[in-house]
Each structure stands twice: as structure tokens, then as C-alpha cells.
């Protein structure tokens, strides 16, 4: 790893803001019922130091080894970030857990990581998660924790009140392990990705060259902090630049949270960008919107009005990622004057790999690599390989799995197939392992077909499958609006007609062996709770195939272009 300046490491940056911007608001936390609590850098530092003192004392009393693991199970909130800092300041390693995990997965991660304690914070469905907490594991609750957690575990405020702030500026070195990020994973059990403080620092330095951020910026934190993008962009971006972080309260208040934060930098996953689009289209038909946008003066007023209604009128950098961004969606936002940068990365490389350049016409690609990133395409498999100082140290306690994805000379096997053009722009063409073979012996890459399927407004999510079948099949989940208007025979007939036309358009552009036999329409939502999607809205292909695979042949035998599967 190249030399990492000590003053770019997370804790050192925190001490810098404590010294220089102590009276400035660092975190803005909604407390419910319209109440908002603000924390200055000095107030954050005071609480972090008190909690770090408690963790050190507890570790000493219980014989925790240096670098012991401490978990965080909570939705995003001010105490999440303060917990992470306190863990680091006390000399330990943080283990964040997604706040939507089933109890079995929670127990698996806490056991595998050998967590010595756990912060139990703001959560929905805590009663279902609680059985995953090993008996006897010391836990700490937050002011926004569920009532049962507050009764079961000592509270953050009480602990801070009885501890004096930890003195001095304890530091961690660049090579020190900072965290284990357990991958949400579309297949298999989560793996603990090990990242150092130096890797985070290098990733931020690379990101800032492409996405300039400063203390004058504002970000809304709402995607799980357990996910690598939110962790790098929000937490470490905050620590590096000192910008203000606002937290979302709930899904019901999300629109109001956006209006309150007025973010200048905003990242979202494709599914949420689609929901924003559908919200606009529900109030104004696309034909009318296109007409108004074509008018010289009125078009500008309409654009500003829509952006203000979305809470994005102050947004100077918009980005998307975690799953492919449909080209049509990017073009739709571009017409509104919002150029969304599409990023590409993985937990294993701290999500710092590629991103499109603001203002450049790079739609359909994920842009060029960040400075300092090496990339190449494996000539045999077409797989993208990359190398950088932000690569993981490996999978925790799984050296054999580490060896499968990192070559002896330090290249990460991404698992993604890609093409790099003459300008250095990367186009992701599918997953190496997602390819499947039909009964005709032909390979099908589902990702590009799914991208086209998802462009229909009635389609919320989709999977193309059909291994060992004559032709591929598209399984589509309806958007909430379409699902709500498909109950009667007449509504289904109308929807079937529209989707049939969409299927014809797609098949006309595919090779014969790729053409879809039919579309199977699923009304039941695919959610994190029922196991169809990950916490970052990636579809679990194996789960879809497991549930619907046995019925595919039957649906195909109906010889209809569109089959309603539930």
C-alpha cells in the first residue's frame, strides 16, 4: 500500500474537526413527532469519548484482546456513527449488521465475528431479531431503540453520564483493521470483509478527485450504514471533509426528510430513483411532461419545480449504484437537468472502482476507473479484474475463500463480465456465474435483457431465468401501482396487452436463442423479509429460481406471451 498521510485516517480527521469546528452542527437527528436534535462536533466528541471510556473499561474487566470485535445493529442514526468512533477510539474493531436481518443471520454474524458486545439501536421488528442475540452478550441501547431493548439493556445516555471522557487522542495506524463488513450477498452466507483504516483513507482520497466534497456540503443518510457505499460516502466522507449529515426518520417521512436536508450530494439505488420517477409520473403524464419540458421558458420552471418537490433542488452531485441503472431512467433524469453519475464497486474494494463523470455523456457505461485503479479483462472468461490500495485484507477467518477472489499478484476477481472501450469506459455486460445454458446448448446472459425488461413502468423488478429450458423466461414483479390495478379481468387484459407489446419489442432486438418464451407476472412483492432481495435491493436470483423454477415449465406450456403466476 502507498504511504497514507496520518492526518487522512478516520480518527485523526475526527480529532481535527473536534479542535477546529467544535461549535458547528455535525449531525442532525429526527427524534419523531417533528422533533429534531442537533449535535455539534464538540457534543459528538464528548459522547464518543465517554462511550470509548466505557468500552475500554468493559474490555479490561472482561479480558477483551486488542482489536476485539464490537457489533452495531441499528438503522442509521447519530448514535450509529458515534458508536463506530467510540469502538475505534477504544482500540476495537466494528462489525455493522443490516437492520433488516433475520435472527438466524444475526446470530451467525455475531458468532462468526466473535463479537464481545453489541449496540442495539433504532430498529423495526426487534422482537423477531432479538432471538439472534447470543445469551449473555453485553448490549447497549440507544435513545431511539425499541422499548423492549431499552428495558433489557443499559442505555447510551446513562453510560455516558457515569463515565468521564477518554482523554488524549488515541490513534489507529493505517494497517490496523477498522471493520468487518459482512456482505449482504445475493447467494450463500455473508462473508466478513476485512478493511483497514488505510484502505478507507485511500478510497476517500481517490473519490474526492472525482467527486469533490467540502464542509459546506450536506448529505442525507438513509441507505444502510452497514453497506459499503453509505459507509464510505457518508461516514468517511463526513470524517474527511466535515460536511453536515442529516438522518432520515422513516419511510413515511422520507419526502419530508429530503426537504429538511436539501442534500447537495445525493446517492440512491436504482429502485428508489425509479420510485421518484413514478411519483412524478403519477402527478403528470409523461406526454404532458415532455411537452412542457420542450417549451423554452416553461420547461426551465417545470424542471426547477420538480427538483424542489423532490428535495433535490440544491443537489449538485447525484449518483446511483449498487445495481445497474437502466439507460432510459438516466435519460429521463437528464431531461430534468439532473445528471446522475453511475458508480460501480464492491464491498471488497470499498466501492471505489468506476464512476461516470458529471456532465459527460457516458450513459450505458459505469465510466472510467478512479485514479490509481488498475483494471483488465480476463481474455478467457471476459471477467473484470481490478487492483487498488482499497482492496480488502481478505475474508475474516476464510483464507480459502480469499484465495478464490484475490490472485497471488493482488488482482480482485470481481465476478462481473465487462468490456473496456478505447476511452477507458467500462461497460458491465453481466455476471460470470449468472450465465446459464438453455436446452439448446446456448448460453444466455440475463443482465442486459433484465435491463430492458425493467424499463416498463409496470415492472418493479425482474429476473431472466431458464437453465435447461428451450428458451429463457422473464419473471417480473409488478410495481405497486400496476399491482393495485390488475385485480379484475379487464385490468389484467389491459396489462397483458401492454406487457405483450413490451415483450415483442425486447425479443425483436435479441438473438433467437435469447428471446423470451413468455413473461410470468408476480404480484407478491419481493422484499428483504421474504428473502427475495438483499438490504440494498439486489434481487436474489437463486431465491427467485428456487421458488418459481419448478413452475416455469407449466407456465410456458400455457403458450401465452404473458402469464399471471399468482
Amino acid at each position: 500500500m502507498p504511504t497514507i498521510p496520518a492526518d487522512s485516517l478516520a480518527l485523526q480527521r475526527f480529532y481535527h474537526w473536534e479542535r477546529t469546528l467544535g461549535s458547528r452542527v455535525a449531525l442532525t437527528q429526527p427524534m419523531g413527532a417533528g422533533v429534531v436534535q442537533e449535535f455539534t462536533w464538540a457534543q459528538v466528541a464528548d459522547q464518543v469519548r465517554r462511550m470509548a471510556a466505557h468500552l475500554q473499561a468493559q474490555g479490561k474487566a472482561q479480558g477483551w484482546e486488542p482489536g476485539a470485535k464490537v457489533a452495531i445493529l441499528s438503522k442509521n442514526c447519530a448514535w450509529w456513527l458515534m458508536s463506530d468512533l467510540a469502538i475505534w477510539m477504544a482500540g476495537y474493531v466494528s462489525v455493522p449488521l443490516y437492520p433488516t436481518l433475520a435472527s438466524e443471520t444475526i446470530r451467525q454474524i455475531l458468532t462468526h465475528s466473535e463479537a464481545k458486545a453489541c449496540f442495539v439501536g433504532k430498529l423495526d421488528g426487534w422482537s423477531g431479531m432479538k432471538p439472534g442475540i447470543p445469551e449473555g452478550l453485553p448490549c447497549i441501547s440507544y435513545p431511539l431503540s425499541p422499548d423492549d431493548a431499552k428495558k433489557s439493556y443499559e442505555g447510551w445516555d446513562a453510560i455516558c453520564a457515569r463515565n468521564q471522557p477518554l482523554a488524549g487522542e488515541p490513534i489507529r495506524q493505517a494497517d490496523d483493521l477498522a471493520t468487518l463488513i459482512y456482505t449482504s450477498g445475493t447467494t450463500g452466507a455473508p462473508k466478513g470483509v476485512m478493511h483497514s483504516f488505510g484502505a478507507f483513507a485511500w478510497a476517500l482520497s481517490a473519490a474526492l478527485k472525482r467527486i469533490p466534497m467540502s464542509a459546506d456540503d450536506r448529505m442525507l443518510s438513509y441507505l444502510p450504514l452497514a453497506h459499503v457505499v453509505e459507509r464510505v460516502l457518508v461516514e468517511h466522507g463526513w470524517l474527511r471533509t466535515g460536511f453536515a449529515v442529516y438522518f432520515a426518520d422513516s419511510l413515511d417521512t422520507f419526502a419530508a426528510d429530503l426537504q429538511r436536508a436539501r442534500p447537495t450530494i445525493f446517492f440512491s439505488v436504482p429502485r428508489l430513483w425509479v420510485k421518484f420517477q413514478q411519483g412524478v409520473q403519477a402527478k403528470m403524464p409523461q406526454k404532458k411532461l415532455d411537452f412542457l419540458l420542450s417549451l423554452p421558458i416553461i420547461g426551465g420552471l417545470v424542471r426547477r419545480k420538480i427538483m424542489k418537490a423532490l428535495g433535490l433542488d440544491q443537489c449538485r452531485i447525484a449518483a446511483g449504484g449498487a445495481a445497474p441503472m437502466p439507460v432510459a431512467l438516466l435519460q429521463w433524469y437528464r431531461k430534468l437537468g439532473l445528471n446522475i453519475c453511475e458508480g460501480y464497486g464492491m464491498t471488497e474494494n470499498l466501492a471505489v472502482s468506476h464512476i461516470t463523470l458529471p456532465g459527460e455523456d457516458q450513459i450505458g457505461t459505469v465510466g472510467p476507473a478512479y485514479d490509481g485503479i488498475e483494471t483488465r479483462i480476463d481474455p478467457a472468461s471476459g471477467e473484470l479484474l481490478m487492483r487498488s490500495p482499497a482492496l480488502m485484507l481478505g475474508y475474516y477467518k476464510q483464507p480459502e475463500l480469499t484465495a478464490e477472489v484475490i490472485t497471488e499478484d493482488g488482482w480482485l476477481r470481481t465476478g462481473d463480465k465487462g468490456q473496456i472501450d478505447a476511452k477507458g469506459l467500462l461497460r458491465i455486460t453481466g455476471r460470470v456465474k449468472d450465465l446459464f445454458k438453455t436446452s439448446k446448448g446456448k448460453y444466455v446472459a440475463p443482465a442486459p435483457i433484465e435491463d430492458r425488461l425493467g424499463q416498463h413502468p409496470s415492472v418493479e423488478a425482474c429476473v431472466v431465468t431458464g437453465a435447461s429450458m428451450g428458451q429463457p423466461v422473464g419473471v417480473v414483479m409488478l410495481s405497486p401501482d400496476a399491482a393495485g390495478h390488475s385485480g379484475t379481468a379487464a385490468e389484467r387484459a389491459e396489462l397483458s396487452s401492454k406487457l405483450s407489446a413490451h415483450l415483442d419489442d425486447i425479443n425483436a432486438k435479441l438473438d433467437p436463442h435469447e428471446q423470451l418464451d413468455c413473461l410470468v407476472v408476480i404480484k407478491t412483492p419481493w422484499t428483504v423479509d421474504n428473502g427475495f432481495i438483499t438490504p440494498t435491493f439486489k434481487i436474489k436470483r437463486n431465491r427467485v429460481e428456487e421458488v418459481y423454477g419448478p413452475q416455469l415449465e407449466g407456465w410456458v406450456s400455457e403458450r401465452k406471451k404473458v402469464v399471471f403466476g399468482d
Side-chain angles (χ1 to χ4, degrees):
M1 176 178 288
T3 302
I4 304 295
D7 62 0
S8 68
L9 300 175
L11 277 177
Q12 285 86 324
R13 296 304 298 166
F14 177 61
Y15 299 138
H16 169 77
W17 302 122
E18 179 188 20
R19 291 191 303 267
T20 61
L21 292 181
S23 61
R24 188 167 181 170
V25 174
L27 304 173
T28 301
Q29 174 66 53
M31 302 298 291
V35 177
V36 173
Q37 183 174 351
E38 294 181 334
F39 295 87
T40 65
W41 282 102
Q43 290 169 329
V44 170
D46 179 70
Q47 295 200 31
V48 167
R49 289 178 175 280
R50 291 172 186 271
M51 185 55 65
H54 167 74
L55 291 176
Q56 276 196 353
Q58 189 170 27
K60 185 176 181 179
Q62 298 182 5
W64 300 356
E65 70 280 2
K69 316 302 184 295
V70 178
I72 305 173
L73 175 61
S74 175
K75 295 169 72 173
N76 298 15
C77 61
W79 295 275
W80 200 112
L81 295 183
M82 290 192 281
S83 296
D84 210 11
L85 287 164
I87 292 166
W88 292 337
M89 194 181 292
Y92 302 128
V93 173
S94 59
V95 182
L97 283 77
Y98 283 96
T100 49
L101 295 177
S103 61
E104 295 83 0
T105 309
I106 291 171
R107 181 174 292 273
Q108 176 192 13
I109 292 174
L110 292 176
T111 302
H112 183 264
S113 67
E114 303 172 83
K116 302 297 185 184
C118 182
F119 289 93
V120 175
K122 183 180 180 184
L123 294 165
D124 300 323
W126 164 240
S127 60
M129 300 177 188
K130 187 175 182 179
I133 305 294
E135 188 174 349
L137 183 71
C139 292
I140 297 168
S141 66
Y142 292 164
L144 292 178
S145 296
D147 288 341
D148 181 58
K150 291 180 183 178
K151 294 176 183 176
S152 302
Y153 313 126
E154 188 173 15
W156 176 281
D157 289 342
I159 290 173
C160 286
R162 63 177 174 79
N163 281 277
Q164 290 301 308
L166 192 68
E169 295 187 355
I171 62 171
R172 307 292 294 278
Q173 303 299 327
D175 293 339
D176 289 347
L177 180 62
T179 192
L180 302 181
I181 305 179
Y182 278 82
T183 57
S184 54
T186 55
T187 59
K191 300 183 290 290
V193 177
M194 299 186 289
H195 276 296
S196 68
F197 288 98
F200 277 108
W202 188 92
L204 256 294
S205 296
L208 288 171
K209 293 175 183 176
R210 192 69 58 84
I211 305 173
M213 299 182 287
S214 74
D216 295 325
D217 281 309
R218 299 183 300 278
M219 287 203 69
L220 178 68
S221 179
Y222 67 101
L223 294 172
L225 274 163
H227 187 262
V228 66
V229 173
E230 193 83 352
R231 196 83 178 282
V232 173
L233 185 61
V234 174
E235 182 184 37
H236 286 267
W238 170 66
L239 291 171
R240 176 63 70 89
T241 69
F243 59 56
V245 174
Y246 293 73
F247 292 95
D249 191 9
S250 67
L251 284 176
D252 294 336
T253 66
F254 186 71
D257 293 328
L258 261 176
Q259 295 287 343
R260 175 169 47 81
R262 280 287 195 271
T264 58
I265 302 170
F266 185 73
F267 175 89
S268 192
V269 295
R271 191 169 177 180
L272 290 179
W273 282 117
V274 169
K275 286 186 178 294
F276 292 159
Q277 178 193 42
Q278 291 172 341
V280 172
Q281 291 172 333
K283 296 180 180 179
M284 185 181 299
Q286 191 60 46
K287 286 186 178 179
K288 181 179 180 181
L289 177 60
D290 289 339
F291 172 70
L292 293 176
L293 292 177
S294 70
L295 302 176
I297 297 177
I298 294 177
L301 294 173
V302 170
R303 289 183 181 91
R304 287 193 290 273
K305 184 175 181 179
I306 291 174
M307 286 298 105
K308 188 170 184 179
L310 291 174
L312 298 177
D313 55 313
Q314 300 295 312
C315 182
R316 62 181 186 82
I317 298 176
M325 295 283 290
V327 170
L329 184 68
L330 294 169
Q331 292 171 334
W332 187 85
Y333 277 102
R334 180 163 285 193
K335 287 181 182 178
L336 291 178
L338 190 67
N339 293 315
I340 301 176
C341 301
E342 183 172 7
Y344 166 77
M346 304 167 61
T347 305
E348 287 82 351
N349 59 25
L350 285 178
V352 175
S353 181
H354 292 71
I355 193 168
T356 55
L357 296 169
E360 296 287 336
D361 185 11
Q362 298 172 345
I363 287 179
T365 77
V366 291
Y370 287 89
D371 292 349
I373 303 286
E374 298 176 85
T375 60
R376 62 184 176 90
I377 303 294
D378 185 294
S381 64
E383 181 178 16
L384 172 70
L385 283 76
M386 64 83 63
R387 186 165 62 179
S388 84
L391 284 194
M392 66 174 179
L393 299 173
Y395 295 123
Y396 184 58
K397 296 196 298 190
Q398 293 180 303
E400 69 289 351
L401 293 182
T402 303
E404 289 180 10
V405 298
I406 296 184
T407 66
E408 290 184 2
D409 52 351
W411 290 87
L412 173 68
R413 298 185 182 278
T414 65
D416 288 309
K417 292 173 70 72
Q419 299 170 347
I420 301 174
D421 66 18
K423 296 180 180 178
L425 306 180
L426 172 64
R427 186 183 304 274
I428 301 297
T429 58
R431 290 286 293 172
V432 173
K433 294 181 180 179
D434 281 348
L435 289 176
F436 62 85
K437 187 187 291 187
T438 66
S439 61
K440 298 174 182 176
K442 296 282 190 177
Y443 282 101
V444 175
I449 308 174
E450 291 164 352
D451 191 25
R452 295 174 190 175
L453 265 180
Q455 292 176 17
H456 195 280
S458 296
V459 176
E460 175 90 358
C462 60
V463 164
V464 170
T465 184
S468 300
M469 295 177 63
Q471 292 291 137
V473 174
V475 182
V476 303
M477 183 191 84
L478 293 179
S479 66
D481 183 64
H485 295 85
S486 61
T488 68
E491 289 172 334
R492 285 200 171 198
E494 182 182 0
L495 178 61
S496 180
S497 176
K498 292 178 180 178
L499 289 177
S500 292
H502 186 49
L503 177 62
D504 288 341
D505 288 342
I506 291 172
N507 279 342
K509 298 169 186 173
L510 296 175
D511 291 335
H513 72 278
E514 297 176 309
Q515 293 174 359
L516 302 178
D517 221 332
C518 67
L519 295 183
V520 178
V521 177
I522 305 297
K523 282 180 63 177
T524 303
W526 295 344
T527 66
V528 174
D529 290 339
N530 62 24
F532 280 95
I533 63 171
T534 71
T536 54
F537 303 109
K538 293 178 184 175
I539 300 168
K540 292 186 176 181
R541 185 180 302 277
N542 62 332
R543 172 68 172 160
V544 172
E545 292 174 342
E546 172 192 331
V547 173
Y548 302 115
Q551 305 172 69
L552 290 179
E553 292 285 2
W555 285 326
V556 169
S557 68
E558 295 185 29
R559 308 316 307 162
K560 296 177 182 177
K561 288 184 180 179
V562 177
V563 179
F564 288 86
D566 56 333

